[in-house]
Amino acid sequence: MDTAPNNTLERWLTGPRFGTLPSPASLPAPKLSFEFFPPKNEKLEADLWTCIRRLEPLGPRFVSVTYGAGGSTRARTHDTVARLARETSLTPAAHLTCVGATREEVDEVARAYWEAGVRHIVALRGDPPAGASQYTPHPGGYAQAEDLVRGLRRIADFDISVGAYPEVHPAALSADADLDYFKRKMDAGANRAITQYFFDTDVYLRFLDRCHAAGITLPIVPGIMPVTNFASVKRFSAMCGASVPAWLEKLFEGLDEDEGTRRMVAATVAAEQVRILQANGVDEFHFYTLNRPDLTYAIAHILGARPVAAG
């Protein structure tokens, strides 16, 4: 005998009930930080500073500026970070990697940041240079991020962030080996970790469980990537080890030529992701802006972030 509900009303009356997420007004606005990448030319530099000025009023805890692969944008990163320290109210964080430089050269860059008033470093191993298939430590350089963290601690009292990979670093031998390496970075003197982006919230929450079991107690800030170009994110995710769930692909299906709808979908997905994490007690988030401010600003607004009064 078929006992399945045979009409909409019956399904409503007999189906499971799902509670709603807390309303945005019932939660404090989360703590935010933003990531930018350094410009490659004058036009992109203008775009970057438009982005910075758009997001500055939200009063983020800090803003980070990335390196290109193999340290290819080291000078532009330094110039951007120094200008942030000099001309804005923001707290800049400079990415610093182990790739393609001796310890002395890396230390010199770190000291130059300190002298420019930059106190926050995002210490990373770094990606292989263009054309290289795998990472090879510089013969006279820091071998891994854990070594870089120790080196920075010898130079000055930096605020140090490191990377974390909820879905395992692509070069890791295993999930356990990756977690052990992550713990060594934290124990070396890091203040916090910022994760690679992810889309399923359970991925991050399960990672927190594993970190807690391993004795890691420092903050692990989730990295949030608003998706504006699904095809591009899918390609990049395949390289960095982030999984792209089928439900996300379904949401962007048929929108290749519809940028406006893609942006609305992106804002909805990211805001929902953050709200689910907030409901689970997470109160700090790092947004990968891709130097596109309006989408990040809209998501921050949905989450209750408002411009901070000057002074």
Side-chain angles (χ1 to χ4, degrees):
M1 178 178 175
D2 184 4
T3 58
N6 56 17
N7 61 59
T8 299
L9 179 59
E10 194 170 348
R11 286 197 297 273
W12 288 349
L13 294 175
T14 61
R17 297 290 189 266
F18 297 97
T20 61
L21 288 170
S23 71
S26 69
L27 294 170
K31 303 164 191 167
L32 303 177
S33 56
F34 304 128
E35 182 169 296
F36 308 122
F37 57 82
K40 294 180 179 179
N41 54 50
E42 288 185 8
K43 165 64 169 63
L44 292 178
E45 182 167 5
D47 292 344
L48 166 63
W49 283 93
T50 297
C51 180
I52 290 168
R53 294 303 185 187
R54 173 75 164 136
L55 296 176
E56 182 179 10
L58 295 177
R61 297 190 75 187
F62 64 89
V63 296
S64 66
V65 183
T66 68
Y67 258 22
S72 58
T73 62
R74 183 178 293 127
R76 286 193 293 270
T77 296
H78 183 276
D79 291 346
T80 300
V81 171
R83 186 177 169 189
L84 280 164
R86 195 170 59 244
E87 298 182 13
T88 75
S89 62
L90 298 166
T91 299
H95 283 216
L96 192 58
T97 74
C98 304
V99 177
T102 65
R103 289 183 185 87
E104 291 75 19
E105 289 168 336
V106 173
D107 291 353
E108 184 180 348
V109 172
R111 290 190 184 95
Y113 278 132
W114 187 267
E115 290 168 7
V118 177
R119 301 292 183 260
H120 190 163
I121 299 287
V122 181
L124 305 167
R125 187 201 74 178
D127 297 323
S133 60
Q134 61 184 21
Y135 170 76
T136 302
H138 190 286
Y142 291 110
Q144 302 289 343
E146 122 184 48
D147 306 306
L148 175 56
V149 171
R150 290 196 184 93
L152 290 170
R153 281 278 165 252
R154 287 193 295 269
I155 292 169
D157 187 23
F158 283 108
D159 185 7
I160 302 175
S161 297
V162 295
Y165 290 80
E167 298 180 88
V168 184
H169 191 283
L173 297 176
S174 68
D176 287 342
D178 195 42
L179 185 62
D180 179 64
Y181 174 60
F182 175 53
K183 187 175 190 304
R184 294 204 309 270
K185 287 194 294 187
M186 300 298 268
D187 291 346
N191 298 94
R192 77 186 56 74
I194 300 169
T195 76
Q196 175 64 274
Y197 67 84
F198 55 90
F199 297 111
D200 278 327
T201 53
D202 279 352
V203 163
Y204 170 79
L205 295 172
R206 287 196 302 267
F207 180 64
L208 286 191
D209 290 339
R210 295 183 64 233
C211 289
H212 178 71
I216 299 169
T217 59
L218 292 167
I220 302 172
V221 181
I224 305 297
M225 171 77 86
V227 177
T228 51
N229 184 321
F230 180 79
S232 176
V233 165
K234 191 171 183 179
R235 284 193 303 272
F236 185 72
S237 298
M239 294 187 289
C240 69
S243 63
V244 180
W247 60 260
L248 187 65
E249 185 160 11
K250 185 72 174 175
L251 285 177
F252 285 93
E253 192 175 82
L255 298 180
D256 292 353
E257 307 302 322
D258 189 345
E259 182 181 0
T261 303
R262 286 203 314 269
R263 290 166 65 84
M264 286 187 280
V265 171
T268 301
V269 169
E272 184 177 74
Q273 183 182 18
V274 170
R275 291 186 62 221
I276 291 171
L277 291 173
Q278 278 188 291
N280 281 276
V282 182
D283 67 352
E284 184 173 357
F285 302 88
H286 186 72
F287 276 83
Y288 298 107
T289 70
L290 301 180
N291 292 11
R292 295 171 181 153
D294 291 341
L295 181 57
T296 299
Y297 192 97
I299 296 165
H301 184 88
I302 291 171
L303 300 172
R306 296 293 184 271
V308 178

